Amino acid sequence: MKWFNYSEFDSPDEPGSGHYMDQEFLDMLDEARSRAGIPFVITSGYRTEEHSYAVGSNAASSHCKGVAADISAATSRDRFLIVTALLEVGIDRLGIGDDFIHCDIDWEKPGNVIWNYT
């Protein structure tokens, strides 16, 4: 990967777990970062089931499968650049939060969707 280290994707309760991330997803994310032209700060990557429950999600989370990441997005411009680049590389499951973008390639869930966290 050009732009990331596996440790950026570690679950906070399991050092080294960033290596459980799906390589195809990481390659897509790396390409999206190149296209966006801004840093992608990963706020959540791989999650253990325990950590997923601790943050209010569950074991079915795409993060637990290693096919999801949350990216910090502090401004509207950052959100635009991140979302545009993710869509360009084929990541078509996006969640928009106040200060982050969730993205995943979970093939077991519907694609071509964008939701918000309210």
Side-chain angles (χ1 to χ4, degrees):
M1 290 181 292
K2 179 178 180 180
W3 299 105
F4 301 103
N5 295 310
Y6 287 104
S7 62
E8 294 177 74
F9 299 92
D10 285 356
S11 186
D13 60 338
E14 189 175 331
S17 58
H19 286 278
Y20 300 145
M21 294 293 293
D22 180 87
Q23 191 60 53
E24 178 183 2
F25 175 67
L26 293 178
D27 291 344
M28 294 170 82
L29 202 58
D30 209 46
E31 176 60 24
R33 163 55 183 92
S34 290
R35 291 175 184 227
I38 61 170
F40 280 17
V41 177
I42 306 301
T43 59
S44 184
Y46 180 78
R47 292 182 188 163
T48 63
E49 288 183 18
E50 294 79 12
H51 182 65
S52 190
Y53 285 116
V55 297
S57 192
N58 58 51
S61 168
S62 302
H63 288 274
C64 294
K65 300 174 187 176
V67 295
D70 295 343
I71 305 164
S72 179
T75 68
S76 294
R77 180 74 175 149
D78 288 352
R79 279 191 295 278
F80 175 81
L81 293 171
I82 293 166
V83 167
T84 299
L86 293 169
L87 291 170
E88 285 177 354
V89 300
I91 298 175
D92 65 355
R93 290 184 41 80
L94 305 174
I96 312 296
D98 289 338
D99 60 356
F100 73 97
I101 304 295
H102 166 91
C103 61
D104 74 67
I105 59 165
D106 194 331
W107 308 120
E108 297 175 356
K109 297 177 181 174
N112 296 318
V113 295
I114 298 177
W115 63 90
N116 63 351
Y117 296 93
T118 54

